[in-house]
Amino acid sequence: MSAWTTHQPALGAPPSAPPRRSIVDPARVPLGYGFRSAMRMANERIDALGLSELRTPDGTVRYLDVGEGVPVLLVHGIFGGPDAALRQLAPLVPAGFRLIVPARFGYLDSSMPAGATSKRQADAFADLLDGLGIARAAVVAASAGATSALRLALRHCGRVSALALLSPNGPGCQHDRPPMPYRVARALWGSDRLMWTVRCHFSTRLTRLMGVPADRPLTAADRGWLEAELDGLFPVTRRADGALFDAFVSNPDVNSIGFRDLNTPTLIVHARDDALAPRWGAIGLAESIPGARLLVLENGGGHLMLGEHPEVAVAVEALLRSTSD
């Protein structure tokens, strides 16, 4: 049986969490609204990451290797990359852990092999760990990254010590239809100018597509976080192949995974008001993975988990430390 926990907003002080690592400057300059200057700045930010490269049987994997200690593989979601993983996932991991942060297939110049599948993406993760001399690592994955993270835990079960899934892509009928026609997605996501127009003139609609609840009153901190995430989509053209793979191949593939053989300690975190990943997907994962713990956030800030949720960092750290001794 899975352990289910529902977190209600605290009336008093929130759960205390140890100091988080700080990698990305939260006060970085917004991209602004001029298209050319914004794309120049967005590309410069990607180049400034200084991604390393490793050749694998499925092509080149670009990645970051940050810190020292017990290794943790951070797996980004759709329209992401190592930059997104550092924004969204790294703050959940306390100091004293080594972060391995790959760009998945088709993201930020990692290869997109012909006939790519989530199984092959999982194998590429294992190849990356091999190349870095890492026998075993914990995995923290977000959103669309959950599919390949689950595949890794199943196909290379001895390599994954713990699995934390945040706002995960879960099984369900939501995958019966594609999010939009492939040609439309290819045309839209393959154009920085088109997506920039959407970002500047239809940002409210775009945030709804990112899973922000329509009825959530946004604080100043929420708006700042959203602006950073909207800016973080760019350059879309360096993420488009990966996003298409996620939307049309990897995300639906979660319905074909059998979870009963997964014996990795697993934490699933889901916001009840997530407008992108249906709650039944998270529930389905929790009920199918033996011993999984499901942490449900009431008023959780949608798919991006806007707001302050220190209990998430506490739960992730507890999972990591329980398997790193």
Side-chain angles (χ1 to χ4, degrees):
M1 293 292 290
S2 302
W4 288 39
T5 305
T6 300
H7 178 80
Q8 299 282 353
L11 296 177
S16 60
R20 302 288 111 195
R21 77 167 71 230
S22 178
I23 295 176
V24 179
D25 179 9
R28 66 181 189 174
V29 178
L31 293 182
Y33 289 96
F35 173 72
R36 291 184 179 179
S37 62
M39 292 307 103
R40 182 174 61 252
M41 186 183 296
N43 278 288
E44 287 173 351
R45 287 178 178 174
I46 299 304
D47 295 338
L49 289 172
L51 298 177
S52 300
E53 294 186 354
L54 179 76
R55 293 290 298 174
T56 76
D58 280 312
T60 299
V61 176
R62 304 192 78 208
Y63 68 95
L64 288 172
D65 186 348
V66 181
E68 297 180 351
V70 176
V72 179
L73 184 74
L74 301 185
V75 184
H76 65 81
I78 194 168
F79 290 107
D83 53 338
L86 291 181
R87 288 195 311 272
Q88 300 166 0
L89 300 178
L92 300 175
V93 181
F97 288 85
R98 175 185 177 186
L99 303 184
I100 310 301
V101 197
R104 296 192 287 111
F105 286 163
Y107 285 96
L108 302 189
D109 306 318
S110 280
S111 296
M112 172 54 74
T117 65
S118 65
K119 292 180 181 179
R120 291 175 65 183
Q121 176 65 87
D123 293 344
F125 289 155
D127 291 334
L128 175 60
L129 296 179
D130 287 341
L132 296 175
I134 296 172
R136 187 171 167 86
V139 178
V140 180
S143 190
T147 309
S148 53
L150 287 161
R151 288 288 192 191
L152 176 65
L154 285 163
R155 291 171 67 81
H156 304 274
C157 56
R159 312 293 300 273
V160 180
S161 61
L163 183 60
L165 306 175
L166 284 79
S167 302
N169 172 55
C173 61
Q174 70 273 19
H175 299 300
D176 292 347
R177 292 183 178 181
M180 65 181 72
Y182 182 87
R183 290 184 179 181
V184 174
R186 166 61 75 180
L188 180 61
W189 301 348
S191 170
D192 281 324
R193 186 171 288 278
L194 282 176
M195 284 295 289
W196 189 249
T197 298
V198 174
R199 191 256 182 270
C200 292
H201 299 286
F202 304 97
S203 60
T204 300
R205 179 169 296 182
L206 189 56
T207 58
R208 298 293 175 261
L209 294 175
M210 295 169 69
V212 177
D215 59 350
R216 177 182 175 84
L218 298 178
T219 65
D222 289 341
R223 290 190 176 90
W225 179 262
L226 272 176
E227 288 297 312
E229 290 303 318
L230 289 170
D231 281 354
L233 297 173
F234 296 92
V236 176
T237 49
R238 294 177 71 175
R239 310 175 199 266
D241 287 344
L244 290 165
F245 169 71
D246 280 343
F248 293 92
V249 178
S250 183
N251 281 356
D253 183 59
V254 75
N255 279 343
S256 68
I257 299 178
F259 302 106
R260 295 298 180 186
D261 293 331
L262 202 162
N263 56 12
T264 302
T266 301
L267 169 70
I268 300 162
V269 183
H270 177 75
R272 189 177 294 278
D273 57 358
D274 190 331
L276 184 61
R279 64 180 179 276
W280 61 77
I283 293 171
L285 285 173
E287 291 181 340
S288 300
I289 298 173
R293 177 191 174 193
L294 173 61
L295 174 60
V296 178
L297 305 178
E298 300 290 345
N299 300 318
H303 196 68
L304 296 176
M305 297 186 184
L306 299 175
E308 296 294 329
H309 305 290
E311 67 278 10
V312 177
V314 169
V316 171
E317 180 177 6
L319 177 70
L320 297 179
R321 295 206 184 281
S322 71
T323 59
S324 63
D325 297 333

